[in-house]
Amino acid sequence: MSSRSAGWHAVVTLAGQWTKYGVQILALVVFSRLLDPQDFGIVAMVTAVVGVAYVLGDFGLSLAALQAGELTHGQRSNLFWLTSGIGVLTGLVVVALAPLFVHLYDEPQVGQVAAWIALVFVANGFAGHFRTELNRAHRFTALAVTDVVGQLGGLVAGLVVILTGGGLWGLVVQQVCAAVLVLVLVAGASSWRPGLPRRGEPMRGLLRFGSLSLAASVVNYLSTNLDQLVVGRTWGPATVGVYNRAFQVARVPAQQVGAPLTRVVLPHLRARLDDPASFSRAVHRAQAMLGTALVALFGYLIATAPNLVEVALGAGWDSAVPFVRVLCVAGLLESASRVYYWILLAHGRPGLILGAELGARTIMVVLMFAVVSQGAIWVAWAAVVGQVLLLGTNVLVTAPAVGVSPWPLLRLSLAGVLAVAPATALVAWLGGRPVPGPVAVELLLLSTLWVAVAALSLLVPRARALVADGAGYVRAMLPRPA
């Protein structure tokens, strides 16, 4: 894949993911005005426990397929049946464990919600390899469209249920309908069709890479979402409902962008392993592109959190503001670590990823359990500590292990933070002072001020170079004039 085509694919992927995120924010705004925090809390209790099945539904095999060079039709068919079978098995396990969830939370509706959410895992299992086939064929526009249409369909279906008196079941219907619609769309968009499972196909390498990638993803997911389980178990559905809404605002952007962009960046980096200079340039430009966008977003969210929460979620959600700000710090650190994940995947070192994730995130989980009794906000700070440990492990251990100097990458991350720090600090200070008038108008004024002050950072050569590097990576993706 050329640098230009990789860049264009990344533009399409980012555009699709930001549109998908916009639809999710729209759902957040609408549903938060129609439902109580306890409704969100009950659904969050389920997803915090069974959400790991989203990871299991893929079993790490999509990354294995992307990292591989050529695949026979038999290998591809076997991968399809493996991921589909895992999705069905996971759904059945979730249904079987529903009574245990009721006992865990002492909340009867949790079991009913879990049983229906199980359908999401079945749909994701069948859709997984169709997505991979579209990815391998560089059909990124089709992937972006299916994701956005799926989210829109789920939003409409959930809204209908809520408006007809379904309450929290609208949140369940939203997830199930989105997953089923995406399955239908990706299967229809792909020209590939699976054959019957075949023996004798070389699958060991794919399964080994997939299993190690899966283990790292499971560790990542559990530690990232365990905070909601810990908060819900200790403080109840109302508190975890507030925490979950803050999580959706603060952490979802990095997660929505990082994983799909990996599917574009990984083949691009892997093709440059034999040319260290080209590989290094590609890594730095990818980090500049991702870092510039996400650092700016997190800085803006931290600065405008009080006004943004009131405008987006409505009155009565002000307790989510501290969670949004702390979780944004965790999200910023997580985005800084993403480039090291790409580097290790490109080098075919999933075991090293697993080691780094397991060490840092184990400490983070222990901290969450240790501090939860002091208040839910301390659980969010434990997530920040975990991300600091993971970034430190990547800088000091994993990057040097594959011969990559981490310091230029770390300087890129720090340059992005310093570029938006003055705007973020000023707007956060002003936002804490009472201003007469509608809160939406205040948010608009503060947003304009944040953009203006952040733009002044371009007068600093290092900040200007960072933005130029990221923009250069994007321009490399755009098609040349005929």
Side-chain angles (χ1 to χ4, degrees):
M1 188 191 301
S2 69
S3 296
R4 184 164 297 276
S5 62
W8 176 246
H9 295 155
V11 167
V12 171
T13 299
L14 286 172
Q17 287 304 308
W18 283 114
T19 304
K20 177 181 174 181
Y21 179 59
V23 175
Q24 292 175 333
I25 290 298
L26 177 61
L28 184 72
V29 171
V30 174
F31 291 172
S32 296
R33 284 166 166 74
L34 299 173
L35 299 172
D36 295 326
Q38 182 156 334
D39 294 325
F40 289 103
I42 290 173
V43 177
M45 285 174 171
V46 175
T47 56
V49 177
V50 306
V52 69
Y54 289 105
V55 181
L56 293 175
D58 181 70
F59 208 62
L61 295 176
S62 63
L63 282 178
L66 291 175
Q67 202 268 350
E70 297 294 326
L71 291 175
T72 67
H73 183 72
Q75 286 176 308
R76 293 151 70 190
S77 296
N78 287 351
L79 288 172
F80 170 81
W81 291 113
L82 279 170
T83 55
S84 300
I86 292 166
V88 172
L89 180 60
T90 303
L92 293 174
V93 170
V94 169
V95 172
L97 292 178
L100 181 61
F101 302 150
V102 175
H103 177 72
L104 175 66
Y105 290 115
D106 193 24
E107 178 61 56
Q109 282 187 297
V110 168
Q112 301 168 21
V113 170
W116 283 102
I117 289 291
L119 294 174
V120 175
F121 311 133
V122 177
N124 286 348
F126 279 94
H129 194 72
F130 285 118
R131 297 179 68 92
T132 300
E133 288 296 325
L134 291 173
N135 202 139
R136 287 177 62 86
H138 301 161
R139 300 275 308 280
F140 295 100
T141 300
L143 284 170
V145 170
T146 58
D147 280 340
V148 172
V149 173
Q151 288 296 319
L152 282 171
L155 187 157
V156 172
L159 183 59
V160 169
V161 172
I162 293 173
L163 292 177
T164 54
L168 68 84
W169 290 103
L171 300 174
V172 177
V173 169
Q174 178 195 15
Q175 295 187 43
V176 173
C177 285
V180 173
L181 184 54
V182 166
L183 167 59
V184 172
L185 292 173
V186 295
S190 176
S191 60
W192 177 83
R193 292 294 179 266
L196 295 175
R198 297 183 183 180
R199 291 185 177 182
E201 294 288 345
M203 301 294 296
R204 180 174 297 180
L206 293 170
L207 293 175
R208 182 180 182 278
F209 188 97
S211 62
L212 289 173
S213 298
L214 169 69
S217 297
V218 168
V219 170
N220 184 317
Y221 185 90
L222 285 175
S223 60
T224 301
N225 291 271
L226 195 64
D227 49 359
Q228 297 181 59
L229 185 153
V230 172
V231 171
R233 185 73 179 86
T234 305
W235 296 99
T239 301
V240 78
V242 172
Y243 192 101
N244 175 260
R245 295 299 87 188
F247 185 93
Q248 292 296 313
V249 172
R251 298 296 301 279
V252 167
Q255 295 174 352
Q256 288 289 337
V257 171
L261 199 58
T262 297
R263 296 172 175 271
V264 178
V265 174
L266 176 57
H268 180 56
L269 294 181
R270 187 176 178 277
R272 284 156 178 74
L273 284 176
D274 294 333
D275 184 348
S278 177
F279 181 84
S280 178
R281 283 195 302 272
V283 166
H284 282 73
R285 289 186 132 191
Q287 168 73 342
M289 176 188 64
L290 182 66
T292 300
L294 291 182
V295 167
L297 174 64
F298 287 126
Y300 171 78
L301 291 176
I302 290 171
T304 61
N307 307 88
L308 187 64
V309 165
E310 185 171 348
V311 170
L313 304 184
W317 289 88
D318 54 296
S319 57
V321 172
F323 294 120
V324 169
R325 283 178 160 164
V326 176
L327 291 174
C328 276
V329 176
L332 192 152
L333 292 164
E334 182 181 28
S335 66
S337 289
R338 175 67 60 172
V339 67
Y340 302 100
Y341 175 69
W342 290 341
I343 290 169
L344 296 177
L345 277 181
H347 281 85
R349 299 292 296 275
L352 198 54
I353 296 173
L354 175 59
E357 295 277 351
L358 193 59
R361 294 183 183 275
T362 297
I363 297 174
M364 180 172 71
V365 170
V366 171
L367 281 176
M368 286 179 179
F369 279 102
V371 302
V372 64
S373 61
Q374 304 302 312
I377 191 66
W378 289 102
V379 176
W381 278 113
V384 172
V385 173
Q387 293 298 334
V388 170
L389 292 174
L390 181 59
L391 180 59
T393 302
N394 284 321
V395 169
L396 298 176
V397 180
T398 61
V402 293
V404 173
S405 174
W407 305 114
L409 296 173
L410 189 60
R411 284 195 292 270
L412 278 177
S413 299
L414 290 175
V417 172
L418 293 175
V420 302
T424 300
L426 175 62
V427 171
W429 177 71
L430 290 175
R433 303 168 70 87
V435 176
V439 68
V441 174
E442 183 180 351
L443 175 61
L444 178 61
L445 293 174
L446 291 174
S447 299
T448 303
L449 177 62
W450 187 91
V451 172
V453 177
L456 291 176
S457 69
L458 295 178
L459 297 175
V460 179
R462 184 174 290 276
R464 191 164 59 247
L466 175 66
V467 174
D469 213 15
Y473 191 79
V474 173
R475 282 196 303 271
M477 307 175 186
L478 299 175
R480 297 178 186 275

